Amino acid sequence: MIQITDEILNKYLDGELSRTEADQVKSALHNSDELRRKLNALKLVHSNLSSIIEDKVSNDFTEKLMKQIVRKATAPKQQKYFIASVVAFITLLCLVIFGFSISAMISATSSAAGNSQSVLDSVSSLSEGLVKMLHQLFSGTGLSIIGSIFSLIVLISGYFFFEMQKRSKASIGNGQHL
Amino acid sequence: MRNLSDQEIIDSVRKGNDSDYSIIVNRYKNKAFSMLKRMLKNDFDAEEVLQDCFLKAYRSLTNFKGESKFSTWFYRIVYNTALTKLSSQKRKTETEMSSVEDHFDLVSDYNSDEIEKEDINKLIQETISKLPEKHSAVITMFYLNEMTIDEISEVMGLSISNVKVMLHRSRNALRDLILKTKLAEELK
């Protein structure tokens, strides 16, 4: 004879007992008011739980969530475009500086050399001019100016990049308060 | 128009039709919200966590292999996110919830002498939220989401017998509440 515990009553309710065990429970139920009361209360709980009502989220939940998803999907693209534009700007600036240096160097060497006799002489004076120009650019005030320009570019880019990150995080955060 | 299966919707979203994800959202939002509300005991937190869960699921759709049902996979995200939220709220979830051996007693807000039979449903509905978090999750998944014990054990990462123990304990606790009322005499 099995002992009729709460566990056995639950298994009986769920139909998990063997036929023999179920018969033993039936017999015990027949003889005990207390057991019958427990089982009936369990049945009442079971039937009421089977009809629990689902709670509803706010009406615009789906709409707001989908907006979040779209925003999140477009944020990385915006960041990519931003980085690409900063890189393009820096490259362009470098090219302008380089082009300006070359043109300044050529004009300096042509005026200094006058009518050079050989190609070798013009190449050597060109390289000398280049070294001179670079030396001028990266020493003293030249270096300070270039350093300042680059620092400014880095600072501005950093600021905008940080702002963009902050905005995208904020938009995700806002979406959590649906 | 026939109802699309979860897998068909997921395939469509994976192909780039993001808007189809709203079908999944509408299909699961209320059931998942019901579970979260009972676990977190708070509407606001439940909705916030639910949104987080849908975003996580969307981002991880590529990882969904289809080895289990989408619902099981999604409810696992919901359940784990709720546990993370609870632990972040420092509600001592480890000690309160980790063991299925935990004993708990429920207290009703109702005066047990005044409860009528028609109040029982309301009493039970309201008392589910007073169960320990894992127990209320089991009850919601089993009764409201109509999941099998196997699926619940997969979601919770617990053995089938442990899930059954939690289900039985929850029912017993609710039953004891009813037995304390004047209705107990009618149940013989």
Side-chain angles (χ1 to χ4, degrees):
Chain A
M1 185 76 182
I2 55 167
Q3 195 190 348
I4 315 294
T5 59
D6 287 345
E7 199 64 19
I8 293 291
L9 282 181
N10 271 282
K11 285 185 175 174
Y12 178 75
L13 185 71
D14 292 335
E16 287 179 1
L17 295 179
S18 66
R19 182 177 280 272
T20 323
E21 287 170 327
D23 286 342
Q24 287 177 7
V25 173
K26 268 183 203 168
S27 153
L29 284 168
H30 187 72
N31 298 321
S32 165
D33 282 353
E34 184 56 29
L35 270 183
R36 266 203 310 280
R37 191 182 294 126
K38 276 187 171 182
L39 182 70
N40 287 335
L42 214 49
K43 279 180 180 171
L44 193 63
V45 168
H46 180 68
S47 68
N48 278 286
L49 285 174
S50 303
S51 61
I52 52 173
I53 306 153
E54 67 178 21
D55 298 284
K56 303 251 186 280
V57 287
S58 53
N59 292 334
D60 55 353
F61 177 85
T62 308
E63 193 189 333
K64 284 187 177 174
L65 178 77
M66 293 311 290
K67 275 183 190 166
Q68 283 299 307
I69 285 172
V70 171
R71 252 183 258 164
K72 251 196 143 182
T74 51
K77 279 183 194 167
Q78 284 177 346
Q79 281 181 8
K80 267 186 209 165
Y81 291 142
F82 178 73
I83 290 165
S85 60
V86 167
V87 168
F89 178 72
I90 290 171
T91 312
L92 199 69
L93 197 73
C94 289
L95 282 173
V96 166
I97 292 169
F98 186 71
F100 174 76
S101 310
I102 291 291
S103 71
M105 190 187 69
I106 288 169
S107 63
T109 48
S110 61
S111 64
N115 298 325
S116 298
Q117 288 87 7
S118 67
V119 178
L120 198 68
D121 284 344
S122 6
V123 170
S124 99
S125 46
L126 262 172
S127 58
E128 269 176 36
L130 179 69
V131 171
K132 203 176 155 189
M133 189 57 65
L134 287 174
H135 185 72
Q136 273 180 352
L137 273 173
F138 292 100
S139 67
T141 49
L143 183 67
S144 312
I145 292 166
I146 290 175
S148 305
I149 291 169
F150 271 97
S151 307
L152 196 67
I153 291 166
V154 169
L155 275 173
I156 292 169
S157 311
Y159 170 75
F160 281 111
F161 189 71
F162 176 73
E163 278 295 309
M164 193 170 278
Q165 291 276 35
K166 211 166 76 174
R167 250 184 285 139
S168 65
K169 272 184 189 169
S171 64
I172 293 159
N174 287 340
Q176 287 180 346
H177 304 287
L178 294 175
Chain B
M1 194 179 142
R2 78 184 173 90
N3 255 358
L4 290 170
S5 71
D6 289 348
Q7 192 57 53
E8 285 172 316
I9 298 164
I10 290 159
D11 290 342
S12 174
V13 175
R14 278 172 174 167
K15 282 176 193 163
N17 302 318
D18 288 346
S19 58
D20 285 355
Y21 191 63
S22 62
I23 306 171
I24 288 278
V25 174
N26 286 332
R27 194 169 284 180
Y28 290 102
K29 63 180 181 183
N30 288 334
K31 284 191 165 63
F33 177 66
S34 304
M35 179 172 149
L36 285 168
K37 192 179 157 183
R38 288 179 175 100
M39 284 184 79
L40 301 172
K41 331 282 186 202
N42 175 329
D43 282 29
F44 182 80
D45 285 349
E47 202 156 307
E48 187 182 280
V49 169
L50 181 63
Q51 193 216 7
D52 196 23
C53 294
F54 277 118
L55 286 172
K56 272 186 193 170
Y58 176 79
R59 281 198 301 265
S60 313
L61 271 187
T62 45
N63 302 332
F64 176 63
K65 306 269 189 306
E67 287 162 1
S68 57
K69 280 160 73 177
F70 173 79
S71 55
T72 310
W73 180 78
F74 177 66
Y75 285 123
R76 193 157 56 223
I77 293 176
V78 173
Y79 177 73
N80 288 329
T81 313
L83 289 189
T84 307
K85 177 77 180 176
L86 285 167
S87 63
S88 74
Q89 287 172 339
K90 295 178 183 170
R91 292 174 63 176
K92 296 177 186 171
T93 50
E94 286 304 312
T95 50
E96 284 179 11
M97 303 160 49
S98 60
S99 169
V100 293
E101 298 301 321
D102 285 349
H103 177 77
F104 56 89
D105 281 316
L106 292 174
V107 181
S108 166
D109 291 336
Y110 291 82
N111 183 342
S112 49
D113 293 331
E114 290 171 5
I115 290 176
E116 301 295 334
K117 202 160 187 177
E118 51 270 23
D119 297 326
I120 291 291
N121 191 269
K122 205 175 169 195
L123 168 81
I124 287 175
Q125 296 266 1
E126 287 175 13
T127 318
I128 298 169
S129 301
K130 291 184 178 172
L131 290 166
E133 289 86 350
K134 281 188 178 178
H135 291 72
S136 46
V138 170
I139 288 286
T140 317
M141 283 190 272
F142 187 77
Y143 284 104
L144 185 65
N145 303 356
E146 294 174 341
M147 293 166 75
T148 63
I149 297 287
D150 286 27
E151 286 170 340
I152 298 170
S153 80
E154 205 182 320
V155 167
M156 299 178 81
L158 293 173
S159 68
I160 289 172
S161 57
N162 274 354
V163 173
K164 278 185 186 173
V165 167
M166 291 171 94
L167 178 67
H168 295 169
R169 290 235 166 114
S170 307
R171 286 201 297 222
N172 290 340
L174 292 166
R175 176 206 63 190
D176 290 344
L177 265 190
I178 292 173
L179 288 176
K180 282 179 194 165
T181 69
K182 64 179 183 181
L183 291 170
E185 279 308 302
E186 295 176 29
L187 294 168
K188 270 194 273 183

